[in-house]
Amino acid sequence: MHIMEGYLPVTHAVAWTAVAAPFVVHGGRRLARLVAERPQLKLLVAAVGAYAFVLSALKLPSVTGSSSHPTGTGLGAVVFGPPVMAVMGTMVLVFQALLLAHGGVTTLGANVFSMAVAGPWVAFGAYRLATRLRAPRSWAVFLAACLGDLATYAVTSVQLALAFPDPAGGFAAALAKFMAVFALTQVPLAVTEGLLTVVAMNLLASHGRDDLAELAALTGRKEVAP
Amino acid sequence: MIRTSLFALALAAAISAYPLVFPPAGDREFAGTDGLAVDAIADIRPDYRRWPEEPLGFVPSPRVESLLFAAEATLGAGFLGFYLWLRRRQARRQAMAVAADARGPGDGSH
């Protein structure tokens, strides 16, 4: 889902940076307050960040004959909420832009918006909705990570279609083209990400039970409690 | 919970292995979608000039790139494992301390 360096016109690059920045600043403040109030949760924050690092480094083949990677932001969005993941996701993207030539500095704002803002919010919303409908936790986590992953790639497609509308068919035709590149490839990967996130959440629920209980007490969100 | 996890892992492995075992038609060699999106851009706007022309970050050679990707995954997985190990050890020690307290003072059988 990375928009590569140089592939956004200047106005779009600036605009997406301006849109994404407040989310990251807000998330940074939220994160700073969280670790100030509950220092023991620092390790859990780092653990969900580590999970995003692992998953975004996995290039997986897909049935379409191309390959792509999961995002890994669903787990943290479910556990800590989307603002914290705006920060963690940005760290992953900065690392990949500076050292791996994946994504880019000029396209960072757009990539942050899709992977670190839109994906986590969709994941969080899906989780809240599924738990409210009394879905078992595994299903709720699966849906959250899976839909967050798909949303990230859908947003990337929209960003590219806005920047490069088709000369004949306009925005809609361009969107169809970019969705053809990303969406179909991503479906099996999103399912894989959902499944892996269920495993990760199960591990946190058994080994990190005290941290999750502490977090639930702090935020009042009962659904993350073990 | 363990059964759910094992089932999820097996299914994830099967989904990832499927395209390798049964390659899709055409010779697409599992190209990355990021690059394919660039091709689509060139298709829509052949006159578009990359801005900036070179990535601003470090551009690793393909081998160094796979090394860095592997390092990213290893460090991430390593830390995750460390976290889980640490918290489990702490929980066990706490449980042992509680059990020792429950046996009461003066009981020397540790």
Side-chain angles (χ1 to χ4, degrees):
Chain A
M1 58 28 89
H2 299 98
I3 300 177
M4 302 252 251
E5 185 93 273
Y7 284 95
L8 272 185
V10 184
T11 46
H12 287 254
V14 172
W16 285 115
T17 306
V19 171
F23 287 96
V24 180
V25 171
H26 169 244
R29 285 203 189 133
R30 184 71 75 83
L31 183 59
R33 210 174 58 209
L34 181 84
V35 297
E37 284 176 22
R38 294 286 194 280
Q40 89 161 88
L41 291 177
K42 267 182 208 161
L43 281 181
L44 182 60
V45 172
V48 299
Y51 180 76
F53 264 89
V54 178
L55 260 72
S56 58
L58 293 181
K59 282 199 248 180
L60 296 173
S62 179
V63 284
T64 52
S66 44
S67 69
S68 188
H69 56 87
T71 64
T73 56
L75 179 69
V78 165
V79 173
F80 284 107
V84 169
M85 283 327 279
V87 180
M88 306 311 278
T90 301
M91 284 165 59
V92 174
L93 288 166
V94 167
F95 173 82
Q96 295 192 335
L98 292 183
L99 287 180
L100 293 164
H102 268 62
V105 178
T106 55
T107 53
L108 184 66
N111 290 333
V112 164
F113 186 78
S114 64
M115 189 178 114
V117 176
W121 274 103
V122 168
F124 183 71
Y127 187 74
R128 291 300 282 267
L129 189 66
T131 45
R132 208 155 283 173
L133 296 174
R134 299 179 183 282
R137 198 189 57 202
S138 289
W139 277 100
V141 170
F142 172 80
L143 285 173
C146 187
L147 294 177
D149 180 315
L150 285 175
T152 299
Y153 281 80
V155 169
T156 301
S157 302
V158 170
Q159 288 171 327
L160 285 172
L162 284 172
F164 301 101
D166 193 87
F171 171 79
L175 183 62
K177 265 187 195 165
F178 291 116
M179 286 292 249
V181 170
F182 287 120
L184 199 58
T185 302
Q186 203 60 26
V187 169
L189 269 66
V191 172
T192 301
E193 167 153 14
L195 292 167
L196 292 178
T197 306
V198 168
V199 176
M201 191 67 200
N202 280 347
L203 286 169
L204 288 186
S206 59
H207 296 343
R209 145 190 298 273
D210 292 351
D211 284 349
L212 289 182
E214 180 110 22
L215 184 61
L218 178 69
T219 58
R221 283 175 55 216
K222 286 188 195 68
E223 77 271 11
V224 293
Chain B
M1 204 150 74
I2 288 177
R3 260 173 46 198
T4 314
S5 292
L6 288 178
F7 173 73
L9 278 180
L11 195 58
I15 292 172
S16 305
Y18 180 85
L20 299 176
V21 180
F22 304 100
D27 189 22
R28 301 183 58 182
E29 295 181 344
F30 300 111
T33 48
D34 294 354
L36 295 177
V38 168
D39 295 347
I41 292 171
D43 211 39
I44 294 174
R45 283 272 306 274
D47 61 322
Y48 180 75
R49 279 200 51 199
R50 226 180 141 169
W51 164 90
E53 291 184 10
E54 294 295 325
L56 298 179
F58 168 68
V59 183
S61 66
R63 275 171 209 221
V64 176
E65 185 191 323
S66 47
L67 172 78
L68 286 171
F69 264 116
E72 184 188 340
T74 312
L75 288 176
F79 183 83
L80 210 53
F82 166 73
Y83 168 80
L84 295 170
W85 170 82
L86 187 74
R87 286 293 184 249
R88 197 175 65 156
R89 197 183 63 160
Q90 284 167 346
R92 279 194 179 162
R93 290 206 168 155
Q94 222 165 27
M96 275 164 70
V98 169
D101 279 352
R103 280 201 295 272
D107 180 1
S109 61
H110 279 293

